[in-house]
């Protein structure tokens, strides 16, 4: 696979002239060879019925589909019919390993509770309580991450959040049907109220000049420590709770997570008035913050 590794430094911005810019063209074979009508075509032509910067509607096999091609950051440029990454050059053109040209929408679920010692007392550093969150290990990138994934056509954000957390942190798809139903009920009960801490572009290594990931990150917090402890954490590979696949990770040091997930964790600490070891500024220009789901 090809990821965005070309360093363009101060020439990342499209506003800076860069006549010698020679990005690699790449679309993953497994993406390019997909024939589903719900996956974008490998090439954009005059016959391609994609309306960028708009909500798109399509009927496939007599079923209506809604695909969001808008950006959380407003309208993005479309040059010669091809969308342009609003954050600038990446060193790669094409769709890379992403299914859609332009924004690929995702949702991330930050499940937190207070870190406690063996006596059940909340850990504090510098007088502030320490959080811990459910993290998953992504072997493809050799990094820990927040559970999350792409928003499917016709899917609401809340549905994506529950589905991705149950699949990535609870291995729900590999469980018997009665247990799947029980976990779905638990998620519906405990995921009623959350705070949306981040909404926007993700600094993901899979981004290209023409396709990129944007996310909505929602935090669900268990202040008592009694609710989320009932979640049977288990990785997709079948590892037990506490394995390297999925586990509670204390936020007591400067974490190095997948993509810009440490930014998201930093914002959760800010919202929860918790100890914040993440060495990032509280807010960045053009970030969009929301409260409530």
């Amino acid at each position: 696979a090809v990821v965005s590794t070309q360093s363009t430094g101060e020439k990342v911005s499209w506003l800076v002239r860069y006549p010698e810019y020679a990005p690699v063209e790449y679309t993953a074979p497994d993406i390019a060879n997909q024939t589903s009508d719900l996956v974008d075509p490998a090439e954009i032509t005059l016959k391609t019925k994609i309306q960028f910067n708009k909500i798109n509607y399509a009927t496939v096999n007599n079923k209506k589909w809604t695909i969001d091609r808008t950006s959380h950051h407003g309208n993005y440029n479309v040059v010669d019919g091809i969308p342009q990454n609003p954050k600038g050059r990446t060193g790669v053109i094409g769709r890379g390993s992403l299914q859609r040209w332009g924004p690929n929408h995702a949702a991330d679920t930050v499940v937190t509770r207070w870190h406690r010692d063996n006596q059940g007392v909340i850990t504090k550093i510098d007088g502030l309580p320490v959080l811990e969150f459910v993290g998953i290990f992504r072997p493809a990138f050799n990094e820990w991450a927040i559970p999350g994934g792409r928003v499917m056509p016709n899917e609401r954000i809340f549905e994506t959040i529950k589905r991705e957390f149950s699949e990535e942190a609870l291995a729900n798809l590999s469980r018997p049907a009665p247990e799947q139903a029980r976990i779905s009920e638990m998620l519906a009960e405990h995921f009623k109220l959350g705070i949306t801490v981040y909404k926007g572009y993700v600094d993901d290594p899979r981004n290209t000049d023409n396709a990129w990931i944007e996310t909505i990150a929602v935090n669900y917090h268990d202040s008592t420590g009694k609710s989320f402890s009932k979640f049977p954490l288990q990785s997709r590979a079948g590892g037990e709770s506490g394995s390297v696949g999925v586990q509670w990770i204390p936020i007591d040091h400067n974490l190095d997570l997948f993509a810009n997930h440490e930014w998201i964790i930093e914002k959760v600490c800010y919202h929860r008035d918790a100890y914040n070891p993440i060495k990032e500024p509280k807010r960045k220009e053009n970030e969009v913050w929301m409260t409530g789901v």
Side-chain angles (χ1 to χ4, degrees), residues 67-97:
I67 300 173
D68 186 359
R69 297 188 185 274
T70 64
S71 168
H72 294 309
H73 299 279
N75 285 353
Y76 47 88
N77 291 329
V78 179
V79 181
D80 296 328
I82 300 175
Q84 189 178 71
N85 189 319
K87 292 297 182 178
R89 302 178 176 95
T90 66
V92 180
I93 59 174
R95 278 185 302 154
S97 59

Side-chain angles (χ1 to χ4, degrees), residues 159-176:
E159 295 170 338
T160 305
I161 284 170
K162 290 194 299 181
R163 175 179 57 78
E164 286 292 339
F165 188 80
S166 67
E167 291 177 4
E168 293 198 322
L170 305 175
N172 203 25
L173 295 179
S174 64
R175 298 177 184 270

Side-chain angles (χ1 to χ4, degrees), residues 113-125 128-132 223-225:
R113 66 185 183 187
W114 298 118
H115 184 268
R116 300 172 187 267
D117 61 20
N118 294 334
Q119 283 71 45
V121 178
I122 296 175
T123 304
K124 290 187 177 182
I125 298 178
L128 295 172
V130 175
L131 285 169
E132 57 183 10
S223 59
T224 67

